[in-house]
């Protein structure tokens, strides 16, 4: 379906003052090229200046049958005929023909060493390009400047080469010196005479790089763009992709053409091909083989070929169209760059292929998957069509018409990965196209486009001699067909004269097609009348504004009309295409071929400023258009209401402005649209810095109380709603509770409103409605009742709510439990929770309680190790600070709040806290400065006694604690024991606290460490007792040690352990006990 809108895309037209009747035209590089009738002279006119003044004119070497301009290299290529022979020629430096009687150089392809270009002058050059077959069609690549020539059954690709004039002179001098030694002086003189300003002039040449053999297709038109090759026959289009690789392969010879394949062209009857459309990899299944013949001499790379697209049409003879009218035309490959690409250095982000029948046009996207974007149904027979960024221009016999295109929709999705998300949107590529208002002309023959200039060639509606001859031949063949088929029907007993439908069928030619073999139409030599128009299209911004004015008609009558949405989408794509074009204008201006002839140095800066201004205006218009599209989708159906969110975001409107645009009129029966509610919910769910005023926040509460009351809790918890009226909101929540019933999140929200009203008794009453665990579940369901921010991840700023601050004062245990639950349900990160407690000023109390609770709840090893290290650090800090406070005698130091969990609680409930070793009780200090000190000591000792804390990680921290105190000594002894340093620990314990040695040995020297009783402990006690015989503590420890040794060794081993200077009477009872145990065993 094609929509039709009465928007006029044209603003002005002018007639080019051409002296002779134009035969054909083309444009490019800011110029219009007119080939006069007879085809032996080309005139170039400037389409960018008022009145289209003449730039230059030059004669061609033959009658021009086809002409093309290349933007890269700024050269012209022609197919010419002379003396019944066809030639392919390229014209370079044609702009220098503006000087009267300027010199012209003629050379063959690849011959660069002779002529004025080497001697230092700049002149127009004609490059003869020899071919083995007659050229039928030619195309230039708009990206590389390469040349593609279509012959009878082959395609020849020529690569554009540039050589600097200085290097050419050096090569010429070397060759002359090696060939003619006496010419050294003359060559150096000519080199000195060359102007220094011409040393950087590039000399263009072509190299034949590859030949494609297509034995089953005869090219009528070809196209080339960034490695894509397209060829068009009468009813077939084939698109190939040529890729150059550096791996050398054996060169394949060109396949021989099977002459039998073309015998059907000689037949009197037409065999109809079936319709085919093969996209992507399926295109290789077409019946057109292609072989590669590589011919480049310098390029050692290997070309690989892949099929991209194949389309074959079967003409419908029963629609009033003959064979000639069903031929394809207007083949075009069109590249499109995104705003972050360099036109000169990168391949295009998108490549489109367009071709057309007289009644329909087809636009395909080739990159990233082949896809049919649009099919254009023409209201009448179209003669020619040209695709641009913004529009498709088509001409009929008497009109110029424009259709919209979908190129910008494809490019937008390639350029921005956030398209089609909740962040950004763009109309779909499959959006139906529309036709704009047409412009009437008389006798249009051809069309070409440069920028905003559409060039039209019209001639009088008279038949040429060739058309008269073709008409006579056609009528004769029609009569022959009619007579033959009438005889066939009469032979089987059917009289066509009695059946009007059958008589009408026989009046149409559909068997013979000899007369349909067409050749390019030539302009009548009679010269009955002609005109050459340059029609300027309006700027995209002007056309956009006209579309917006046109859309107001739909908005006034039916704001939800599909046509309104479609027209706004068309305007959106128009602006997107313009933004893509303005981003590339600066890059394109650098390669403008007319730049060297520019004399005003200020023009580039002025042009850059104008481009920036245009882009700013386009971006402002795009924001307005997104707002209008958001309005459409906000009131739309459930299927596409979600698009209101990205369009409103792209518009830059505040939520207050969006609410004002969607506020229903008092007399309107319509309520708030689903798209608007979708947008508002997402806005309130997100963590934005925009805070609504009280008036706007109360309006939001009213909107959801009317439309979706179930969302009121989430709405009230939004950070943007902090300015809402608590009393008013509380009444609405109480009404919701009366109608929907009691829920934990609703109760917490009502308690928050009471808190904001400073009604603490009512707040307490509401919070005591539910058990603590149910309240924790309520916070899990709506975490924003406690926390604001943090939606963007770990590093996003997060802050506590008023309820959180109150819980820290009145219900710290509930707050800690809720924070642990939020962390375990991925509602808050550990660092964010730390930030909350720092905001509350509880980093030394509640934060540590949170870490201890997290250690009990978490199952993630990385989190556990982090928490163990943090807690050990905190306990060490508390011990260090309390010790320094005691030495400083600071009695007025404020005491910390009592921890939620004591050391005994943690030992009983958390596996990471181990039970205190019995020998640690012996090392407990005689007097403790504070209960906090003792609690921190026991918790740290418990962590060191537990299985999870790594001693190596906290060892450096323990160095801050002195061993002078018993509790400090106990911690260092614990670390040494955990490291397995039992010998050293026994020595240090005997030095500092020998009364604890037996308790230490009974707990630590077990199982595999049992031998240390007699290998280490017994010798140490004997030595120390010998030195201090009156030490009762050592004697008691020695006696206990001998009891253990006698129980664990044999009598022989025990005898060996007794010291030589020992008293026999002291050791004899233990030896007897050992012997008796041995006998009993």
């Amino acid at each position: 379906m094609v929509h039709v809108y009465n928007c006029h895309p044209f603003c002005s037209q002018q007639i080019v003052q051409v002296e002779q009747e134009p035969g054909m035209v083309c444009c490019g590089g800011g110029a219009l090229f007119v080939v006069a009738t007879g085809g032996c002279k080309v005139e170039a006119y400037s389409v960018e200046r008022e009145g289209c003044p003449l730039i230059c004119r030059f004669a061609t070497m033959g009658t021009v049958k086809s002409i093309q301009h290349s933007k890269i290299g700024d050269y012209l290529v022609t197919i010419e005929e002379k003396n019944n022979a066809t030639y392919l020629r390229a014209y370079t430096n044609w702009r220098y023909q503006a000087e009267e009687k300027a010199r012209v150089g003629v050379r063959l392809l690849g011959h660069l060493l002779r002529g004025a270009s080497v001697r230092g002058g700049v002149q127009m050059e004609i490059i003869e390009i020899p071919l083995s077959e007659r050229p039928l069609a030619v195309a230039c690549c708009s990206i590389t400047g390469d040349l593609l020539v279509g012959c009878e059954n082959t395609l020849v690709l020529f690569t554009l080469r540039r050589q600097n004039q200085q290097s050419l002179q050096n090569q010429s001098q070397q060759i002359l010196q090696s060939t003619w030694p006496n010419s050294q002086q003359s060559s150096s003189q000519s080199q000195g005479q060359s102007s220094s300003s011409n040393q950087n002039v590039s000399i263009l040449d072509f190299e034949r790089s590859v030949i494609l053999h297509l034995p089953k297709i005869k090219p009528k038109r070809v196209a080339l763009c960034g490695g894509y090759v397209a060829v068009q026959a009468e009813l077939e289009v084939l698109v190939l992709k040529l890729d150059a690789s550096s791996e050398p392969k054996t060169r394949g010879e060109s396949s021989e053409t099977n002459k039998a394949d073309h015998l059907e062209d000689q037949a009197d009857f037409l065999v109809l091909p079936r319709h085919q459309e093969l996209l992507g990899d399926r295109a290789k299944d077409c019946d057109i083989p292609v072989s590669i013949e590589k011919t480049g001499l310098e390029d050692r790379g290997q070309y690989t070929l892949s099929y991209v697209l194949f389309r074959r049409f079967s003409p419908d003879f029963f629609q009033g169209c003959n064979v000639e009218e069903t031929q394809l035309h207007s083949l075009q490959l069109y590249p499109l760059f995104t705003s972050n690409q360099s036109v000169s250095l990168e391949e295009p982000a998108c490549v489109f292929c367009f071709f057309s029948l007289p009644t329909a046009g087809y636009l395909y996207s080739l990159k990233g998957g082949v896809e049919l974007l649009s099919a254009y149904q023409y209201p009448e027979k179209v003669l020619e069509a040209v695709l641009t960024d913004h529009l498709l221009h088509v001409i009929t016999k008497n009109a110029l018409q424009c259709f919209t295109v979908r190129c910008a929709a494809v490019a937008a999705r390639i350029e921005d990965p956030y398209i089609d998300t909740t962040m950004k949107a763009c109309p779909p590529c499959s959006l139906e196209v529309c036709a704009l208002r047409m412009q009437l002309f008389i006798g249009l023959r051809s069309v070409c486009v440069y920028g905003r200039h559409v060039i039209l060639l019209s001639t009088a509606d008279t038949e040429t001699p060739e058309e008269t001859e073709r008409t006579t031949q056609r009528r004769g063949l029609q009569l022959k067909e009619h007579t033959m088929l009438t005889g066939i029907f009469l032979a089987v007993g059917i009289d066509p004269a009695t059946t009007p439908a059958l008589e009408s069928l026989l009046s149409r030619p559909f068997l013979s097609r000899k007369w349909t073999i067409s050749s390019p139409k030539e302009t009548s030599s009679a010269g009955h009348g002609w005109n050459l128009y340059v029609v300027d299209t309006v700027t995209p911004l002007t056309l956009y504004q006209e579309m917006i004015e046109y859309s107001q008609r739909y908005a006034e009558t039916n704001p939800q009309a599909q046509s309104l949405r479609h027209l706004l989408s068309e305007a959106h794509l128009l602006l997107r295409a313009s933004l893509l074009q303005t981003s590339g204008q600066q890059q394109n201006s650098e390669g403008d071929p007319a730049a060297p002839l520019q004399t005003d140095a200020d023009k580039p800066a002025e042009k850059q400023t104008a481009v920036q201004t245009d882009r700013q205006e386009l971006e402002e218009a795009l924001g307005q258009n997104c707002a209008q599209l958001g309005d459409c989708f906000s009131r739309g159906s459930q299927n596409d209401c979600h698009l209101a969110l990205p369009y409103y975001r792209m518009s830059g409107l505040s939520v207050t402005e969006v609410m004002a645009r969607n506020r229903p009129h008092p007399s309107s029966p319509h309520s708030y649209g689903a798209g608007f509610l979708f947008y508002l919910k997402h806005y309130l769910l997100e963590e934005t810095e925009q805070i609504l005023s009280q008036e706007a926040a109360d309006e939001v509460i009213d909107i959801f109380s009317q439309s979706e009351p179930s969302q009121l809790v989430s709405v009230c918890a939004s950070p943007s709603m902090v300015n809402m009226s608590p009393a008013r909101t509380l009444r609405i929540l109480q009404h919701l509770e009366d109608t929907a019933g009691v829920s934990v999140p609703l109760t917490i929200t009502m308690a928050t409103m009471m808190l904001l009203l400073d009604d603490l008794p009512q707040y307490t009453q509401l919070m005591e409605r539910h058990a603590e665990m149910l309240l924790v579940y309520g916070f899990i369901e709506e975490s924003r009742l406690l926390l604001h921010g943090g939606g963007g991840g770990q590093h996003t700023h997060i802050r506590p709510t008023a309820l959180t601050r109150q819980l820290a004062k009145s219900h710290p245990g509930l707050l800690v439990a809720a924070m642990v639950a939020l962390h375990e349900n991925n509602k808050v990160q550990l660092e964010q929770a730390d930030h909350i407690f720092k905001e509350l000023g509880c980093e030394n109390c509640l934060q540590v309680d949170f870490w201890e609770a997290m250690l009990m709840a978490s199952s993630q090893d990385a989190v556990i190790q982090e928490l163990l290290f943090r807690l050990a650090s905190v306990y060490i800090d508390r011990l260090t600070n309390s010790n320094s406070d005691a030495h400083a005698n600071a009695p007025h130091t404020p005491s910390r709040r009592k921890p939620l969990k004591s050391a005994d609680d943690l030992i009983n409930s958390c596996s990471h806290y181990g039970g205190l070793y019995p020998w640690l009780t012996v090392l407990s200090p005689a007097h403790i400065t504070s209960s906090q000190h003792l609690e921190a000591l026991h918790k740290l000792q418990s962590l060191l006694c537990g299985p999870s804390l790594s001693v190596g990680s906290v060892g450096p921290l323990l160095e801050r604690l002195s061993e002078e105190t018993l509790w400090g000594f106990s911690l260092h002894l614990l670390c040494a024991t955990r490291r397995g340093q039992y010998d050293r620990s026994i020595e240090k314990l005997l030095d500092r606290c020998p009364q604890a040695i037996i308790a230490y040995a009974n707990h630590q020297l077990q199982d595999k460490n049992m031998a240390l009783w007699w290998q280490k402990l017994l010798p140490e006690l004997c030595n120390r007792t010998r030195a201090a015989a009156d030490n009762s503590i050592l004697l008691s420890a020695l006696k206990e040690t001998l009891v253990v040794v006698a129980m664990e060794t044999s009598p022989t081993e025990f005898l060996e352990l007794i010291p030589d200077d020992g008293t026999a009477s002291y050791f004899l009872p233990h030896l007897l006990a050992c012997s008796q145990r041995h006998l009993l065993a």
Side-chain angles (χ1 to χ4, degrees), residues 731-742:
R731 289 194 297 270
I732 295 175
L733 293 175
Q734 289 172 342
H735 180 266
L736 175 63
E737 187 181 53
D738 295 339
T739 56
V742 178

Side-chain angles (χ1 to χ4, degrees), residues 56-68:
C56 65
R57 62 167 58 94
F58 55 89
T60 59
M61 300 180 68
T63 303
V64 178
K65 296 299 181 182
S66 176
I67 183 170
Q68 293 287 333

Side-chain angles (χ1 to χ4, degrees), residues 712-732:
L712 277 175
V713 172
S714 297
V715 170
C716 293
S718 174
S720 304
M721 300 288 291
V722 294
N723 291 329
M724 61 185 169
S725 172
R728 188 172 181 275
T729 305
L730 182 62
R731 289 194 297 270
I732 295 175

Side-chain angles (χ1 to χ4, degrees), residues 152-182:
E152 189 72 23
N153 293 116
T154 59
L155 300 178
V156 186
L157 178 63
F158 293 89
T159 304
L160 179 66
R161 301 296 186 190
R162 296 174 182 264
Q163 296 202 30
N164 187 272
Q165 190 178 33
Q166 180 64 41
S167 63
L168 290 177
Q169 290 181 355
N170 294 337
Q171 294 176 13
S172 176
Q173 184 177 2
Q174 293 174 4
I175 295 175
L176 288 173
Q177 288 178 2
S178 62
T179 307
W180 304 99
N182 296 331

Side-chain angles (χ1 to χ4, degrees), residues 49-357:
R49 296 172 60 185
E50 186 68 26
C52 299
L54 178 69
I55 298 176
C56 65
R57 62 167 58 94
F58 55 89
T60 59
M61 300 180 68
T63 303
V64 178
K65 296 299 181 182
S66 176
I67 183 170
Q68 293 287 333
H69 176 268
S70 173
K71 177 177 69 174
I72 307 300
D74 192 30
Y75 66 86
L76 289 168
V77 61
T78 62
I79 297 177
E80 303 176 11
E81 285 187 0
K82 188 174 183 180
N83 299 329
N84 296 325
T86 306
Y87 303 90
L88 181 67
R89 296 186 174 100
Y91 294 79
T92 66
N93 295 334
W94 54 268
R95 295 181 186 271
Y96 291 95
Q97 286 300 106
E99 302 176 7
E100 293 295 332
K101 299 182 180 179
R103 293 176 299 181
V104 177
V106 182
R107 60 182 174 87
L108 279 175
L109 178 78
H111 292 69
L112 298 172
L113 301 180
R114 305 284 183 180
S117 295
V118 178
R119 294 194 297 270
V122 179
Q123 64 179 13
M124 187 177 84
E125 287 190 339
I126 303 175
I127 304 174
E128 289 277 358
I129 303 177
L131 294 168
S132 60
E133 298 182 55
R134 184 171 68 93
L136 302 177
V138 66
C140 303
C141 178
S142 60
I143 301 172
T144 62
D146 294 346
L147 181 62
L148 180 67
V149 183
C151 300
E152 189 72 23
N153 293 116
T154 59
L155 300 178
V156 186
L157 178 63
F158 293 89
T159 304
L160 179 66
R161 301 296 186 190
R162 296 174 182 264
Q163 296 202 30
N164 187 272
Q165 190 178 33
Q166 180 64 41
S167 63
L168 290 177
Q169 290 181 355
N170 294 337
Q171 294 176 13
S172 176
Q173 184 177 2
Q174 293 174 4
I175 295 175
L176 288 173
Q177 288 178 2
S178 62
T179 307
W180 304 99
N182 296 331
S183 64
Q184 180 178 2
Q185 182 178 0
S186 61
S187 62
S188 61
Q189 291 176 356
S190 63
Q191 182 178 2
Q193 294 172 356
S194 62
S195 173
S196 61
S197 62
N198 293 330
Q199 296 302 315
N200 295 325
V201 175
S202 295
I203 307 302
L204 302 184
D205 195 32
F206 299 92
E207 178 191 356
R208 184 185 285 106
S209 58
V210 68
I211 298 177
L212 301 180
H213 294 269
L214 297 86
K216 290 189 176 181
I217 189 170
K218 182 178 180 180
K220 295 290 185 182
R221 189 161 180 170
V222 294
L224 177 65
C225 179
Y228 287 91
V229 175
V231 56
Q232 167 194 302
E234 288 187 354
L235 292 172
E236 295 167 328
V237 171
L238 176 64
V239 181
L240 308 168
K241 182 68 166 65
L242 272 178
D243 293 304
S245 61
S246 58
E247 299 178 0
K249 297 182 180 179
T250 304
R251 186 178 68 182
E253 297 297 332
S254 59
S255 60
E256 295 183 1
T257 304
N258 187 357
K259 301 298 183 181
D261 292 337
H262 303 283
L263 291 179
E264 63 177 2
D265 289 343
Q266 312 297 330
D268 288 335
F269 295 95
L270 174 64
V271 178
L272 297 181
R274 64 185 179 90
H275 178 84
Q276 273 187 307
E277 183 186 36
L278 303 176
L279 307 180
D281 293 336
R282 295 182 58 227
K284 65 179 181 295
D285 298 330
C286 69
D287 55 356
I288 299 180
V290 182
S291 58
I292 301 178
E293 178 186 353
K294 183 173 175 296
T295 61
L297 300 178
E298 299 177 8
D299 187 4
R300 302 267 179 105
Q302 174 69 30
Y303 284 96
T304 58
L305 182 71
S306 58
Y307 287 79
V308 178
L309 166 67
F310 176 73
R311 185 77 187 261
R312 172 182 287 152
F313 295 90
S314 178
D316 191 349
F317 296 98
F318 301 99
Q319 296 297 326
C321 297
N322 55 36
V323 178
E324 182 182 10
E325 290 175 334
T326 57
Q327 289 184 359
L328 290 166
H329 60 77
S330 303
L331 175 67
Q332 189 176 354
L333 290 177
Y334 192 80
L336 197 59
F337 292 84
T338 57
S339 59
N340 51 8
Q341 282 189 303
S342 171
V343 178
S344 58
L345 299 179
E346 299 183 29
E347 65 177 12
C350 317
V351 177
F352 303 95
C353 179
F354 176 81
F355 50 86
S356 181
L357 288 168

Side-chain angles (χ1 to χ4, degrees), residues 465-483:
E466 290 81 358
E467 290 175 335
T468 304
E469 181 181 355
R470 189 180 299 125
T471 302
T472 304
Q473 186 180 9
R474 181 186 308 165
R475 289 172 180 172
L477 290 173
Q478 287 177 350
L479 180 60
K480 178 181 178 182
E481 290 176 1
H482 186 275
T483 304

